[in-house]
Amino acid sequence: MPPIRLLIAEDDRQIAEIQRRFVQRLEQVELCGIAHTLADAREQAEVLQPDLILLDVYFPDGSGLDLLRELRASDNSTDIILITAAKEVETLRTALRGGVFDYILKPLVFERLEEAINRFRDHLARLSTLKHLGQDEVDAILPRNSGDTHHDQNHRLPKGIDVITLDKIRELIAGGKPWSAEEVGSAMGASRTTARRYLEYMTGTGTLVAEVSYGSIGRPERRYRMQRPPS
């Protein structure tokens, strides 16, 4: 398959730079443009015809949801992954009605973006190899709940993440106190790097919350705790 041609549409230049660096780490992805205004995103989407847009919602000159509606109304084939701080349920509903491929809350974590891009790549691959359309083929392509078995959960997880280890970390952190990656790795008999990979993935999916604390020598350290349910 050819590389995925991707456009970043993000008004905050620092966040856009972080996204650019993340995209550079992804395999078979070609960054074709970066837009910092809605007008620029609209123009680049029309001219460059990217396969995928990483789209923010809030722009100084409008809403990314307006661009989503325009693309769908014009039958544009570009797919959208919303990357946004918008946590309103109505924003999510609007995005789903507009046919977004994924919806990722800020702050963006590389592993969560990698997971979304891998699923998008698999989605394109399945479409490109279809010879005929039956119910099994439709079910394989449309997003759907596939049950709670470990096999199904592992199928949806990004490379390097398995559901058994995720369950162990959930049990470990369920007590409520914040844990560092080093503490989690030590408790599980794993390296700090491995523990951090899982912790950052769980932060990106909203299972955990990451907080920055400062040790006795003033060095910042990320500590993780379970996401508290809304009151």
Side-chain angles (χ1 to χ4, degrees):
M1 287 185 60
I4 296 169
R5 300 181 67 254
L6 183 146
L7 170 67
I8 292 173
E10 166 61 57
D11 70 299
D12 188 306
R13 293 178 181 271
Q14 289 185 327
I15 294 177
E17 174 62 17
I18 291 172
Q19 292 184 11
R20 184 191 69 80
R21 295 184 185 190
F22 282 176
V23 168
Q24 285 187 325
R25 294 168 58 185
L26 297 169
E27 297 180 358
Q28 289 295 101
V29 177
E30 174 189 324
L31 180 62
C32 63
I34 299 177
H36 297 300
T37 67
L38 192 63
D40 194 17
R42 184 181 291 112
E43 182 175 355
Q44 291 197 43
E46 181 180 351
V47 173
L48 300 176
Q49 293 291 307
D51 301 307
L52 184 65
I53 301 177
L54 304 185
L55 179 64
D56 192 11
V57 171
Y58 302 121
F59 288 87
D61 56 336
S63 169
L65 295 175
D66 293 334
L67 177 59
L68 173 63
R69 295 187 190 97
E70 293 168 14
L71 292 173
R72 294 297 167 259
S74 64
D75 200 28
N76 189 294
S77 62
T78 298
D79 280 295
I80 302 291
I81 293 178
L82 279 186
I83 301 180
T84 177
K87 296 184 179 180
E88 300 83 5
V89 174
E90 187 54 38
T91 302
L92 175 60
R93 287 175 177 161
T94 302
L96 292 174
R97 287 195 295 267
V100 296
F101 184 81
D102 207 341
Y103 191 105
I104 303 177
L105 292 175
K106 294 178 179 178
L108 178 64
V109 175
F110 173 75
E111 287 78 8
R112 181 63 178 86
L113 176 62
E114 183 180 38
E115 174 200 1
I117 296 298
N118 286 341
R119 287 194 296 106
F120 181 68
R121 184 182 293 108
D122 291 343
H123 172 75
L124 294 181
R126 284 194 296 266
L127 284 175
S128 67
T129 57
L130 278 180
K131 302 298 182 184
H132 66 281
L133 196 61
Q135 191 62 54
D136 288 342
E137 288 74 24
V138 173
D139 290 344
I141 290 172
L142 290 180
R144 53 187 280 132
N145 294 323
S146 54
D148 294 325
T149 65
H150 280 187
H151 172 77
D152 289 331
Q153 291 183 45
N154 272 320
H155 181 71
R156 298 193 299 270
L157 293 174
K159 183 179 179 181
I161 303 290
D162 73 83
V163 70
I164 295 176
T165 305
L166 285 174
D167 288 342
K168 289 180 179 178
I169 293 177
R170 286 191 188 97
E171 293 175 5
L172 188 65
I173 301 184
K177 76 159 189 170
W179 289 68
S180 69
E182 187 171 1
E183 290 169 342
V184 171
S186 177
M188 297 178 58
S191 69
R192 180 175 60 180
T193 301
T194 297
R196 183 183 294 111
R197 181 170 69 248
Y198 279 86
L199 292 166
E200 289 293 344
Y201 169 76
M202 296 171 75
T203 301
T205 59
T207 303
L208 302 180
V209 173
E211 303 169 336
V212 177
S213 65
Y214 293 85
S216 58
I217 59 175
R219 178 182 298 173
E221 179 182 54
R222 284 171 71 83
R223 301 185 73 85
Y224 306 82
R225 60 170 174 79
M226 295 297 290
Q227 176 77 271
R228 296 190 183 97
S231 57

mmCIF file of all heavy atoms in Angstrom, residues 115 119 144-168 170 198 201-202 205 207:
data_model
loop_
_atom_site.group_PDB
_atom_site.id
_atom_site.type_symbol
_atom_site.label_atom_id
_atom_site.label_comp_id
_atom_site.label_asym_id
_atom_site.label_seq_id
_atom_site.Cartn_x
_atom_site.Cartn_y
_atom_site.Cartn_z
ATOM 1 N N GLU A 115 -2.032 3.711 17.579
ATOM 2 C CA GLU A 115 -3.130 2.749 17.517
ATOM 3 C C GLU A 115 -4.163 3.164 16.473
ATOM 4 O O GLU A 115 -4.625 2.342 15.663
ATOM 5 C CB GLU A 115 -3.798 2.649 18.892
ATOM 6 C CG GLU A 115 -5.052 1.779 18.904
ATOM 7 C CD GLU A 115 -5.951 2.059 20.081
ATOM 8 O OE1 GLU A 115 -5.623 2.952 20.890
ATOM 9 O OE2 GLU A 115 -7.008 1.415 20.197
ATOM 10 N N ARG A 119 -5.103 1.183 12.940
ATOM 11 C CA ARG A 119 -6.460 0.745 12.628
ATOM 12 C C ARG A 119 -6.924 1.340 11.304
ATOM 13 O O ARG A 119 -7.609 0.684 10.513
ATOM 14 C CB ARG A 119 -7.429 1.123 13.755
ATOM 15 C CG ARG A 119 -7.268 0.277 15.002
ATOM 16 C CD ARG A 119 -8.438 0.419 15.960
ATOM 17 N NE ARG A 119 -8.564 1.769 16.483
ATOM 18 C CZ ARG A 119 -9.492 2.639 16.107
ATOM 19 N NH1 ARG A 119 -10.385 2.307 15.190
ATOM 20 N NH2 ARG A 119 -9.543 3.850 16.635
ATOM 21 N N ARG A 144 -17.714 -1.823 15.478
ATOM 22 C CA ARG A 144 -18.717 -2.554 16.233
ATOM 23 C C ARG A 144 -18.090 -3.099 17.487
ATOM 24 O O ARG A 144 -16.874 -3.262 17.580
ATOM 25 C CB ARG A 144 -19.321 -3.707 15.409
ATOM 26 C CG ARG A 144 -18.252 -4.624 14.825
ATOM 27 C CD ARG A 144 -18.813 -5.669 13.878
ATOM 28 N NE ARG A 144 -19.373 -6.772 14.622
ATOM 29 C CZ ARG A 144 -20.573 -7.283 14.378
ATOM 30 N NH1 ARG A 144 -21.310 -6.768 13.428
ATOM 31 N NH2 ARG A 144 -21.027 -8.279 15.080
ATOM 32 N N ASN A 145 -18.900 -3.393 18.473
ATOM 33 C CA ASN A 145 -18.410 -4.043 19.677
ATOM 34 C C ASN A 145 -18.211 -5.505 19.370
ATOM 35 O O ASN A 145 -19.116 -6.181 18.887
ATOM 36 C CB ASN A 145 -19.425 -3.891 20.823
ATOM 37 C CG ASN A 145 -19.577 -2.446 21.246
ATOM 38 O OD1 ASN A 145 -18.605 -1.716 21.253
ATOM 39 N ND2 ASN A 145 -20.780 -2.045 21.595
ATOM 40 N N SER A 146 -17.046 -6.021 19.666
ATOM 41 C CA SER A 146 -16.738 -7.414 19.334
ATOM 42 C C SER A 146 -16.609 -8.274 20.564
ATOM 43 O O SER A 146 -15.963 -9.310 20.537
ATOM 44 C CB SER A 146 -15.442 -7.474 18.509
ATOM 45 O OG SER A 146 -14.395 -6.804 19.178
ATOM 46 N N GLY A 147 -17.212 -7.838 21.682
ATOM 47 C CA GLY A 147 -17.183 -8.698 22.863
ATOM 48 C C GLY A 147 -16.035 -8.355 23.779
ATOM 49 O O GLY A 147 -15.206 -7.503 23.502
ATOM 50 N N ASP A 148 -15.980 -9.073 24.902
ATOM 51 C CA ASP A 148 -15.002 -8.770 25.935
ATOM 52 C C ASP A 148 -13.948 -9.853 26.099
ATOM 53 O O ASP A 148 -13.253 -9.899 27.106
ATOM 54 C CB ASP A 148 -15.721 -8.559 27.285
ATOM 55 C CG ASP A 148 -16.598 -7.321 27.255
ATOM 56 O OD1 ASP A 148 -16.207 -6.352 26.594
ATOM 57 O OD2 ASP A 148 -17.658 -7.354 27.889
ATOM 58 N N THR A 149 -13.830 -10.765 25.159
ATOM 59 C CA THR A 149 -12.841 -11.813 25.301
ATOM 60 C C THR A 149 -11.452 -11.233 25.131
ATOM 61 O O THR A 149 -11.248 -10.210 24.473
ATOM 62 C CB THR A 149 -13.047 -12.916 24.236
ATOM 63 O OG1 THR A 149 -12.808 -12.350 22.947
ATOM 64 C CG2 THR A 149 -14.470 -13.462 24.282
ATOM 65 N N HIS A 150 -10.464 -11.897 25.715
ATOM 66 C CA HIS A 150 -9.088 -11.415 25.591
ATOM 67 C C HIS A 150 -8.643 -11.403 24.145
ATOM 68 O O HIS A 150 -7.892 -10.525 23.724
ATOM 69 C CB HIS A 150 -8.162 -12.299 26.438
ATOM 70 C CG HIS A 150 -8.203 -11.935 27.888
ATOM 71 N ND1 HIS A 150 -7.375 -12.489 28.813
ATOM 72 C CD2 HIS A 150 -8.989 -11.059 28.572
ATOM 73 C CE1 HIS A 150 -7.634 -11.993 30.016
ATOM 74 N NE2 HIS A 150 -8.610 -11.120 29.882
ATOM 75 N N HIS A 151 -9.118 -12.371 23.362
ATOM 76 C CA HIS A 151 -8.704 -12.406 21.962
ATOM 77 C C HIS A 151 -9.189 -11.151 21.239
ATOM 78 O O HIS A 151 -8.428 -10.503 20.504
ATOM 79 C CB HIS A 151 -9.271 -13.644 21.272
ATOM 80 C CG HIS A 151 -9.061 -13.650 19.790
ATOM 81 N ND1 HIS A 151 -7.858 -13.945 19.201
ATOM 82 C CD2 HIS A 151 -9.911 -13.337 18.763
ATOM 83 C CE1 HIS A 151 -7.951 -13.861 17.890
ATOM 84 N NE2 HIS A 151 -9.201 -13.484 17.598
ATOM 85 N N ASP A 152 -10.469 -10.789 21.441
ATOM 86 C CA ASP A 152 -11.013 -9.628 20.755
ATOM 87 C C ASP A 152 -10.348 -8.349 21.236
ATOM 88 O O ASP A 152 -10.064 -7.448 20.451
ATOM 89 C CB ASP A 152 -12.526 -9.542 20.988
ATOM 90 C CG ASP A 152 -13.276 -10.635 20.245
ATOM 91 O OD1 ASP A 152 -12.776 -11.055 19.200
ATOM 92 O OD2 ASP A 152 -14.339 -11.070 20.723
ATOM 93 N N GLN A 153 -10.086 -8.233 22.541
ATOM 94 C CA GLN A 153 -9.454 -7.036 23.049
ATOM 95 C C GLN A 153 -8.035 -6.904 22.518
ATOM 96 O O GLN A 153 -7.603 -5.822 22.130
ATOM 97 C CB GLN A 153 -9.442 -7.063 24.578
ATOM 98 C CG GLN A 153 -10.834 -6.910 25.192
ATOM 99 C CD GLN A 153 -10.764 -6.858 26.688
ATOM 100 O OE1 GLN A 153 -9.924 -6.171 27.255
ATOM 101 N NE2 GLN A 153 -11.650 -7.577 27.347
ATOM 102 N N ASN A 154 -7.297 -8.004 22.489
ATOM 103 C CA ASN A 154 -5.932 -7.946 21.976
ATOM 104 C C ASN A 154 -5.907 -7.550 20.511
ATOM 105 O O ASN A 154 -4.988 -6.886 20.047
ATOM 106 C CB ASN A 154 -5.240 -9.304 22.154
ATOM 107 C CG ASN A 154 -4.561 -9.413 23.506
ATOM 108 O OD1 ASN A 154 -3.969 -8.467 23.980
ATOM 109 N ND2 ASN A 154 -4.657 -10.564 24.126
ATOM 110 N N HIS A 155 -6.955 -7.959 19.751
ATOM 111 C CA HIS A 155 -7.005 -7.623 18.334
ATOM 112 C C HIS A 155 -7.090 -6.111 18.131
ATOM 113 O O HIS A 155 -6.613 -5.581 17.132
ATOM 114 C CB HIS A 155 -8.218 -8.300 17.686
ATOM 115 C CG HIS A 155 -8.344 -8.025 16.222
ATOM 116 N ND1 HIS A 155 -7.485 -8.550 15.292
ATOM 117 C CD2 HIS A 155 -9.222 -7.245 15.530
ATOM 118 C CE1 HIS A 155 -7.812 -8.140 14.092
ATOM 119 N NE2 HIS A 155 -8.865 -7.334 14.205
ATOM 120 N N ARG A 156 -7.696 -5.397 19.109
ATOM 121 C CA ARG A 156 -7.877 -3.963 18.955
ATOM 122 C C ARG A 156 -6.728 -3.160 19.553
ATOM 123 O O ARG A 156 -6.681 -1.950 19.409
ATOM 124 C CB ARG A 156 -9.193 -3.532 19.623
ATOM 125 C CG ARG A 156 -10.428 -4.150 19.017
ATOM 126 C CD ARG A 156 -11.666 -3.424 19.517
ATOM 127 N NE ARG A 156 -11.806 -3.521 20.949
ATOM 128 C CZ ARG A 156 -12.466 -4.491 21.558
ATOM 129 N NH1 ARG A 156 -13.006 -5.459 20.849
ATOM 130 N NH2 ARG A 156 -12.584 -4.502 22.874
ATOM 131 N N LEU A 157 -5.818 -3.815 20.271
ATOM 132 C CA LEU A 157 -4.753 -3.095 20.953
ATOM 133 C C LEU A 157 -3.576 -2.843 20.017
ATOM 134 O O LEU A 157 -3.311 -3.634 19.109
ATOM 135 C CB LEU A 157 -4.280 -3.900 22.168
ATOM 136 C CG LEU A 157 -5.303 -4.053 23.300
ATOM 137 C CD1 LEU A 157 -4.770 -4.994 24.367
ATOM 138 C CD2 LEU A 157 -5.637 -2.702 23.905
ATOM 139 N N PRO A 158 -2.837 -1.751 20.237
ATOM 140 C CA PRO A 158 -1.662 -1.481 19.404
ATOM 141 C C PRO A 158 -0.538 -2.466 19.698
ATOM 142 O O PRO A 158 -0.539 -3.156 20.723
ATOM 143 C CB PRO A 158 -1.272 -0.057 19.819
ATOM 144 C CG PRO A 158 -1.805 0.100 21.198
ATOM 145 C CD PRO A 158 -3.078 -0.704 21.241
ATOM 146 N N LYS A 159 0.408 -2.522 18.805
ATOM 147 C CA LYS A 159 1.550 -3.412 18.959
ATOM 148 C C LYS A 159 2.296 -3.088 20.252
ATOM 149 O O LYS A 159 2.538 -1.932 20.579
ATOM 150 C CB LYS A 159 2.495 -3.240 17.756
ATOM 151 C CG LYS A 159 3.691 -4.181 17.773
ATOM 152 C CD LYS A 159 4.548 -3.956 16.545
ATOM 153 C CE LYS A 159 5.764 -4.871 16.548
ATOM 154 N NZ LYS A 159 6.631 -4.649 15.373
ATOM 155 N N GLY A 160 2.657 -4.148 20.992
ATOM 156 C CA GLY A 160 3.401 -3.958 22.234
ATOM 157 C C GLY A 160 2.534 -3.819 23.461
ATOM 158 O O GLY A 160 3.038 -3.633 24.563
ATOM 159 N N ILE A 161 1.202 -3.911 23.304
ATOM 160 C CA ILE A 161 0.271 -3.810 24.420
ATOM 161 C C ILE A 161 -0.591 -5.068 24.438
ATOM 162 O O ILE A 161 -1.188 -5.421 23.416
ATOM 163 C CB ILE A 161 -0.640 -2.561 24.296
ATOM 164 C CG1 ILE A 161 0.189 -1.278 24.193
ATOM 165 C CG2 ILE A 161 -1.623 -2.487 25.449
ATOM 166 C CD1 ILE A 161 0.906 -0.896 25.452
ATOM 167 N N ASP A 162 -0.670 -5.745 25.577
ATOM 168 C CA ASP A 162 -1.561 -6.902 25.670
ATOM 169 C C ASP A 162 -2.515 -6.741 26.845
ATOM 170 O O ASP A 162 -2.212 -6.074 27.838
ATOM 171 C CB ASP A 162 -0.770 -8.215 25.791
ATOM 172 C CG ASP A 162 -0.126 -8.378 27.155
ATOM 173 O OD1 ASP A 162 -0.827 -8.835 28.081
ATOM 174 O OD2 ASP A 162 1.065 -8.057 27.291
ATOM 175 N N VAL A 163 -3.691 -7.354 26.711
ATOM 176 C CA VAL A 163 -4.775 -7.129 27.662
ATOM 177 C C VAL A 163 -4.472 -7.717 29.036
ATOM 178 O O VAL A 163 -4.929 -7.191 30.061
ATOM 179 C CB VAL A 163 -6.101 -7.695 27.092
ATOM 180 C CG1 VAL A 163 -6.077 -9.214 27.053
ATOM 181 C CG2 VAL A 163 -7.294 -7.198 27.899
ATOM 182 N N ILE A 164 -3.706 -8.790 29.105
ATOM 183 C CA ILE A 164 -3.396 -9.403 30.400
ATOM 184 C C ILE A 164 -2.575 -8.442 31.257
ATOM 185 O O ILE A 164 -2.846 -8.243 32.446
ATOM 186 C CB ILE A 164 -2.658 -10.742 30.195
ATOM 187 C CG1 ILE A 164 -3.578 -11.741 29.494
ATOM 188 C CG2 ILE A 164 -2.182 -11.301 31.529
ATOM 189 C CD1 ILE A 164 -2.906 -13.058 29.167
ATOM 190 N N THR A 165 -1.556 -7.830 30.641
ATOM 191 C CA THR A 165 -0.743 -6.863 31.377
ATOM 192 C C THR A 165 -1.558 -5.641 31.751
ATOM 193 O O THR A 165 -1.399 -5.091 32.850
ATOM 194 C CB THR A 165 0.482 -6.456 30.529
ATOM 195 O OG1 THR A 165 1.209 -7.623 30.146
ATOM 196 C CG2 THR A 165 1.397 -5.527 31.308
ATOM 197 N N LEU A 166 -2.436 -5.202 30.858
ATOM 198 C CA LEU A 166 -3.307 -4.066 31.183
ATOM 199 C C LEU A 166 -4.161 -4.363 32.416
ATOM 200 O O LEU A 166 -4.316 -3.523 33.296
ATOM 201 C CB LEU A 166 -4.218 -3.745 29.997
ATOM 202 C CG LEU A 166 -3.593 -3.023 28.805
ATOM 203 C CD1 LEU A 166 -4.606 -2.913 27.672
ATOM 204 C CD2 LEU A 166 -3.076 -1.657 29.192
ATOM 205 N N ASP A 167 -4.711 -5.580 32.471
ATOM 206 C CA ASP A 167 -5.536 -5.957 33.622
ATOM 207 C C ASP A 167 -4.712 -5.955 34.911
ATOM 208 O O ASP A 167 -5.189 -5.541 35.971
ATOM 209 C CB ASP A 167 -6.148 -7.339 33.396
ATOM 210 C CG ASP A 167 -7.260 -7.321 32.348
ATOM 211 O OD1 ASP A 167 -7.773 -6.223 32.057
ATOM 212 O OD2 ASP A 167 -7.606 -8.394 31.830
ATOM 213 N N LYS A 168 -3.469 -6.432 34.828
ATOM 214 C CA LYS A 168 -2.602 -6.458 36.008
ATOM 215 C C LYS A 168 -2.327 -5.038 36.515
ATOM 216 O O LYS A 168 -2.339 -4.782 37.717
ATOM 217 C CB LYS A 168 -1.282 -7.161 35.681
ATOM 218 C CG LYS A 168 -1.407 -8.665 35.487
ATOM 219 C CD LYS A 168 -0.048 -9.272 35.164
ATOM 220 C CE LYS A 168 -0.144 -10.781 34.986
ATOM 221 N NZ LYS A 168 1.171 -11.374 34.630
ATOM 222 N N ARG A 170 -4.229 -2.378 36.017
ATOM 223 C CA ARG A 170 -5.470 -1.839 36.592
ATOM 224 C C ARG A 170 -5.641 -2.307 38.038
ATOM 225 O O ARG A 170 -5.998 -1.525 38.918
ATOM 226 C CB ARG A 170 -6.668 -2.292 35.757
ATOM 227 C CG ARG A 170 -6.806 -1.592 34.419
ATOM 228 C CD ARG A 170 -8.150 -1.887 33.786
ATOM 229 N NE ARG A 170 -8.219 -1.377 32.429
ATOM 230 C CZ ARG A 170 -8.002 -2.111 31.350
ATOM 231 N NH1 ARG A 170 -7.707 -3.393 31.476
ATOM 232 N NH2 ARG A 170 -8.076 -1.580 30.152
ATOM 233 N N TYR A 198 2.795 1.110 28.878
ATOM 234 C CA TYR A 198 1.422 0.752 29.242
ATOM 235 C C TYR A 198 0.721 1.906 29.951
ATOM 236 O O TYR A 198 -0.464 2.186 29.696
ATOM 237 C CB TYR A 198 1.422 -0.492 30.138
ATOM 238 C CG TYR A 198 1.561 -1.777 29.373
ATOM 239 C CD1 TYR A 198 2.813 -2.283 29.041
ATOM 240 C CD2 TYR A 198 0.443 -2.495 28.964
ATOM 241 C CE1 TYR A 198 2.955 -3.465 28.325
ATOM 242 C CE2 TYR A 198 0.558 -3.675 28.248
ATOM 243 C CZ TYR A 198 1.821 -4.156 27.928
ATOM 244 O OH TYR A 198 1.942 -5.329 27.213
ATOM 245 N N TYR A 201 -0.246 4.540 27.465
ATOM 246 C CA TYR A 201 -1.375 4.068 26.653
ATOM 247 C C TYR A 201 -2.680 4.205 27.432
ATOM 248 O O TYR A 201 -3.693 4.701 26.906
ATOM 249 C CB TYR A 201 -1.168 2.608 26.248
ATOM 250 C CG TYR A 201 -2.412 1.996 25.637
ATOM 251 C CD1 TYR A 201 -2.795 2.300 24.332
ATOM 252 C CD2 TYR A 201 -3.211 1.137 26.380
ATOM 253 C CE1 TYR A 201 -3.942 1.766 23.789
ATOM 254 C CE2 TYR A 201 -4.358 0.592 25.837
ATOM 255 C CZ TYR A 201 -4.723 0.902 24.538
ATOM 256 O OH TYR A 201 -5.870 0.368 24.000
ATOM 257 N N MET A 202 -2.666 3.786 28.717
ATOM 258 C CA MET A 202 -3.871 3.865 29.543
ATOM 259 C C MET A 202 -4.264 5.312 29.831
ATOM 260 O O MET A 202 -5.443 5.621 29.974
ATOM 261 C CB MET A 202 -3.649 3.081 30.840
ATOM 262 C CG MET A 202 -3.448 1.587 30.610
ATOM 263 S SD MET A 202 -2.923 0.688 32.089
ATOM 264 C CE MET A 202 -4.475 0.630 32.998
ATOM 265 N N THR A 205 -6.130 6.521 26.721
ATOM 266 C CA THR A 205 -7.485 5.994 26.586
ATOM 267 C C THR A 205 -8.410 6.494 27.690
ATOM 268 O O THR A 205 -9.596 6.164 27.701
ATOM 269 C CB THR A 205 -7.474 4.460 26.606
ATOM 270 O OG1 THR A 205 -6.898 3.998 27.840
ATOM 271 C CG2 THR A 205 -6.673 3.906 25.441
ATOM 272 N N THR A 207 -8.157 5.818 30.950
ATOM 273 C CA THR A 207 -8.237 4.948 32.119
ATOM 274 C C THR A 207 -7.479 5.550 33.299
ATOM 275 O O THR A 207 -7.913 5.455 34.449
ATOM 276 C CB THR A 207 -7.650 3.560 31.801
ATOM 277 O OG1 THR A 207 -8.350 3.016 30.673
ATOM 278 C CG2 THR A 207 -7.791 2.604 32.978
#
